[in-house]
Amino acid sequence: MASPVIDCTPFGKELRALASRLPRVPREDLYGFLEEAKTLAAELPGEIADALDSFNAQGNHDGYLLLRGLPVDDSELPVTPTSTPAPLDRPLLVMEAMLALAGRRLGLHTGYQELRSGTVYHDVYPSPGAHYLSSETSETTLEFHTEMAYHVLQPNYVMLSCSRADHERRAETQVGSVRKALELLDEATRARLHERPMPCCVDVAFRGGIPDPGAIALVKPLYGPAEDPYLGYDRELLAPDDPRDQEAVAALSKALDDVTTSVKLTPGDLLIIDNFRTTHARTPFTPRWDGKDRWLHRVYIRTDRNGQLSGGERAGDVVSFSPRR
């Protein structure tokens, strides 16, 4: 079985050259920046381009693709952010450039109106007192979740690039693939979970200011082709009320735990998570608040699959919330 890890070290010079041709201040004209990235993505080194195209067409058994050894230099970085969103005039960082090039090879960068002030590029860093469901939490586990499984316009890919790792290199991004987990489920459980809408709560950002609106969405844990289904799972938010559904979801949860793969992101890594066939989590780490804490960059990508696009969308668009029903 092919490895999900692509060593990009040999292509550092080519990748830096492509990054240097992108506009220097991406947020000044994000639409223009991402259009230029689309053009330059056609010039990605063949091994990287082929890996992205193959993953986009059919995914893989692991549910993720890891581009490792991309060009990054800590001496070129500013201090790790302590607030969001990023300043509009912040110059392009090399790992943001990698997200632009690889992301445009896959599809359309998308912002979510209610999340991070509707920005498309997110800085992910530890923040004191962050909500336990937030990516900015650090000293507690961020539990398994399919990103925005409750959202009609759920992203196809979650992309995370790393400028800085945590000091002790403890933090792990965990990925559970439905293609692996399915092999551990009996036929009755699979049938119970397939195409069965179950109540689901939503993340804080999508609650419209209401502290606890309850399960306002309906999510199918397994859906699509029965022999190779998609996954909709959130350990904190999926809330089945039928005991038989609870039992089936518990079996799915255990299967996902049993097949979990862990990735320790290091500077120069770009992780692409297939958000329709996996769930992901992050283990705790200890920040030092010294300007050198863990710093990731995140974008969401939509493609023309699974009803995400209706026509006329552009990379850089911001969409509003509509819960799955």
Side-chain angles (χ1 to χ4, degrees):
M1 191 176 297
S3 171
V5 182
I6 307 298
D7 179 12
C8 300
T9 308
F11 312 113
K13 185 175 181 180
E14 294 171 71
L15 292 169
R16 276 197 176 274
L18 286 175
S20 71
R21 292 162 60 190
L22 286 165
R24 291 295 84 201
V25 185
R27 294 164 183 83
E28 192 172 64
D29 174 12
L30 190 62
Y31 279 124
F33 171 78
L34 293 173
E35 271 307 302
E36 185 62 24
K38 171 68 172 175
T39 301
L40 294 174
E43 301 180 34
L44 282 167
E47 185 176 339
I48 298 175
D50 290 346
L52 290 168
D53 292 347
S54 175
F55 189 64
N56 203 15
Q58 59 199 28
N60 61 24
H61 201 59
D62 297 279
Y64 71 90
L65 186 68
L66 177 61
L67 305 183
R68 175 147 276 172
L70 296 167
V72 65
D73 184 351
D74 185 74
S75 67
E76 300 174 354
L77 290 172
V79 298
T80 297
T82 57
S83 64
T84 191
L88 293 177
D89 61 353
R90 190 172 83 190
L92 179 65
L93 303 174
V94 66
M95 293 310 292
E96 292 180 324
M98 297 301 109
L99 285 179
L101 295 167
R104 289 300 279 125
R105 188 87 190 191
L106 296 170
L108 303 181
H109 295 63
T110 300
Y112 290 82
Q113 184 174 305
E114 299 81 6
L115 184 65
R116 300 289 189 98
S117 303
T119 52
V120 172
Y121 268 92
H122 301 161
D123 291 315
V124 179
Y125 53 85
S127 179
H131 193 280
Y132 73 99
L133 293 178
S134 166
S135 60
E136 293 178 15
T137 186
S138 56
E139 298 187 66
T140 59
T141 297
L142 186 60
E143 291 284 6
F144 268 132
H145 59 289
T146 302
E147 200 83 12
M148 293 182 245
Y150 45 76
H151 200 306
V152 169
L153 297 179
Q154 171 188 338
N156 200 132
Y157 301 113
V158 179
M159 299 182 67
L160 297 167
S161 66
C162 180
S163 282
R164 283 197 183 103
D166 59 295
H167 291 284
E168 297 166 348
R169 303 291 175 102
R170 287 178 50 210
E172 296 180 350
T173 300
Q174 300 177 320
V175 182
S177 166
V178 70
R179 284 174 165 163
K180 292 181 177 180
L182 209 64
E183 300 166 3
L184 305 182
L185 298 177
D186 59 47
E187 289 296 329
T189 300
R190 289 167 62 166
R192 183 76 192 180
L193 295 168
H194 192 255
E195 295 291 350
R196 183 172 179 81
M198 298 186 188
C200 188
C201 301
V202 302
D203 282 308
V204 174
F206 299 100
R207 295 178 184 177
I210 301 171
D212 183 9
I216 62 174
L218 292 173
V219 169
K220 301 172 182 177
L222 300 178
Y223 61 102
E227 69 284 358
D228 188 20
Y230 301 115
L231 176 70
Y233 176 81
D234 192 303
R235 186 158 292 174
E236 296 283 355
L237 300 177
L238 194 61
D241 47 21
D242 186 306
R244 293 169 296 177
D245 292 341
Q246 293 169 4
E247 183 179 354
V249 168
L252 173 62
S253 183
K254 183 181 185 305
L256 289 165
D257 282 341
D258 289 345
V259 301
T260 293
T261 300
S262 294
V263 177
K264 287 188 177 181
L265 292 174
T266 59
D269 284 352
L270 194 163
L271 179 64
I272 306 167
I273 299 170
D274 184 343
N275 195 46
F276 276 90
R277 295 195 189 276
T278 67
T279 185
H280 64 280
R282 196 225 59 244
T283 62
F285 64 96
T286 303
R288 297 182 185 175
W289 319 115
D290 60 356
K292 299 286 187 178
D293 278 321
R294 189 176 193 251
W295 185 8
L296 307 184
H297 312 278
R298 180 179 65 193
V299 295
Y300 298 124
I301 304 292
R302 286 187 297 154
T303 74
D304 59 2
R305 295 192 298 282
N306 301 92
Q308 297 157 290
L309 303 178
S310 56
E313 291 90 346
R314 301 170 65 190
D317 280 349
V318 177
V319 300
S320 59
F321 178 50
S322 183
R324 291 190 185 275
R325 299 294 191 192

